Amino acid sequence: MSSSNQIKNTRYKSNTGQTRWASVEEMQRSATKVDLSAPVYPTGGIPVMSDGHTAYLDGRDTHTLIFGATGSKKTRLFCMPTINMFIRAGESFVVTDPKAELYVRTAGFAKEHGYKVVVLNFRDIGYGDMWDPLALPYEYYRTGRRDEANNLVNDLAATLSAPQKENSSDLLYPMMAEGLLTANMYLLFEAAAAENAVNLRSLTALCSQSSLESLKTLSGKMNNQNTIGMLFKGTLLGENEKTVSSIMTVLYGMVNIFNMNKRLTDMLCSNTFDIRMFGHEKTAVYIIVPDEKTTCHFLVTMFIKQVYEILIGEAQRQAKLALPIRVNFVLDEFCNIPKIPDMPSMISAARSRNMRFYLVAQSIHQLKGRYGEDADTIKGNCDNWIFLTSRERDLLNEISFLCGEIDAWGPGGAEKRKLISVTELQRFNKEKGECLILHGRQYPFITYMADIDEYPDFANYQVIPIPPIEIPHPNTFDVVKFTTKFAFAPEGVPFSNPD
């Protein structure tokens, strides 16, 4: 279908009641026109109209929610073109990429345009980049930025404890285990620096049953005014043996994957990039995680939350309280990764900091299943809704309801009818890229979006291999050796790393 026919065939109806279809002209006025052959775009954003040669993008600081069942071409119609448009606009992006197809289609294009390409490859360990989730929390702690360090530590603990909380009928043990996990991270910050052993391998060792007696001894020597000491004593010395053993069992379950998968753990003990730079230099981040199993999905949640929190801090240090370079989060299969803590507040605060979210979900049921009541807040903060296809009744009814009603004549005279019915919503033409868009305050709009293969200027992409990495073997903190240094210290001494 030619570009002119695509735009002409966009559905438009005159206003016959409370609502109507938006006209092509209205949609064009509400968006930024981009010649897709231009080397540089004035803004990046998701296309609300595109024929592969000309596109109208939403370049505003708005979030987008894309609904489509499996196989509805969400990735080909929106994710791939949008990422290429980010690149032409010089905007950073962080994308979840289960099948590595976004990397294949866009990474070479990004590299050609001067981007730093980062690949977190949880599918094929040993290829891509390394990320140490404790590095920046420790740096902030060591340099006196304690509040920021505390936020990051609490986020890590909350992410690791989330599965235990979800699967437990009694939250007491998971909550106490989370407190102990937090204490162990602070212990590493205070005690393991001299051994260069502030890392996940050390954290896993501290969370094992074999470290229990050493931790008890250590906590007994700590000053009662010390935060770490209070966290340890409240758990290890304030409960009976059976309770402490149960807490340790839960705690070990939180970090068990790091004990079982040593190579993954080593990959998470070093850094090959600086998260703070995502908002200062053009960066393309691809998170490749297996979609056929959920073992590493929590790491995606952990990474996204840490990136967001660190970038919020970077934005706060700018004169305009916003990142110099916009950062876009394209979260494909958004509901298949564990719940991101504080997602409603994140999506509310991101726009003013020059960050945007593009959330791709299969259904409202899936979104509510993951986020519960917070799903409504997330939906409400997304200015763009894109619907491709679904058989889910709740989603179909909500889209139909949001499109409104029109006055019509039936056998009994005047009556109200839906602008678009549930039946019509199920009949969109997948091959033509037919979709419905609720864009800002515009009336509903149905159009045909170009497939990624219909973008001639994005066709000659270079596929770059994911480079192999040498994963170093990290040091491990020896808590037993460290504890012996306190063996004859009087009770209540200030806790510090002894000479």
Side-chain angles (χ1 to χ4, degrees), residues 311-444:
L311 293 182
I312 285 286
E314 287 299 302
Q316 291 299 110
R317 279 182 276 278
Q318 307 304 311
K320 296 182 179 180
L321 302 179
L323 297 172
I325 292 179
R326 179 186 274 161
V327 178
N328 301 276
F329 294 85
V330 182
L331 306 184
D332 198 3
E333 301 296 344
F334 172 60
C335 300
N336 286 340
I337 62 172
K339 181 179 179 180
I340 300 174
D342 305 317
M343 187 64 196
S345 59
M346 286 170 57
I347 203 167
S348 298
R351 291 187 294 185
S352 61
R353 271 70 169 207
N354 211 15
M355 289 186 278
R356 295 185 297 192
F357 282 93
Y358 298 84
L359 310 178
V360 184
Q362 294 181 23
S363 67
I364 282 180
H365 175 76
Q366 190 188 49
L367 184 62
K368 288 183 177 179
R370 181 63 71 195
Y371 285 91
E373 294 181 357
D374 289 340
D376 289 332
T377 304
I378 294 171
K379 291 189 299 178
N381 277 282
C382 291
D383 216 27
N384 295 320
W385 285 32
I386 295 171
F387 173 83
L388 292 163
T389 185
S390 176
R391 290 283 194 236
E392 186 200 21
R393 184 186 301 176
D394 287 346
L395 176 57
L396 293 167
N397 284 332
E398 185 157 358
I399 296 292
S400 179
F401 172 80
L402 290 175
C403 289
E405 296 179 327
I406 58 174
D407 293 327
W409 287 94
E415 60 182 35
K416 293 288 186 182
R417 289 184 183 174
K418 298 291 187 183
L419 180 65
I420 186 166
S421 69
V422 167
T423 301
E424 288 180 284
L425 286 170
Q426 296 179 75
R427 294 177 178 171
F428 282 3
N429 191 317
K430 170 185 171 180
E431 299 309 317
K432 292 183 178 180
E434 189 174 13
C435 61
L436 184 148
I437 297 177
L438 298 172
H439 168 57
R441 298 187 180 184
Q442 298 297 317
Y443 287 108

Side-chain angles (χ1 to χ4, degrees), residues 51-96:
D51 58 18
H53 300 275
T54 301
Y56 289 83
L57 313 181
D58 186 354
R60 302 170 301 152
D61 291 321
T62 56
H63 306 304
T64 297
L65 189 54
I66 303 173
F67 285 115
T70 300
S72 59
K73 300 181 69 174
K74 301 183 293 290
T75 300
R76 298 184 63 84
L77 297 179
F78 289 100
C79 294
M80 288 179 179
T82 301
I83 291 170
N84 279 302
M85 292 169 191
F86 291 153
I87 295 169
R88 287 278 175 91
E91 298 180 2
S92 294
F93 54 90
V94 178
V95 302
T96 53

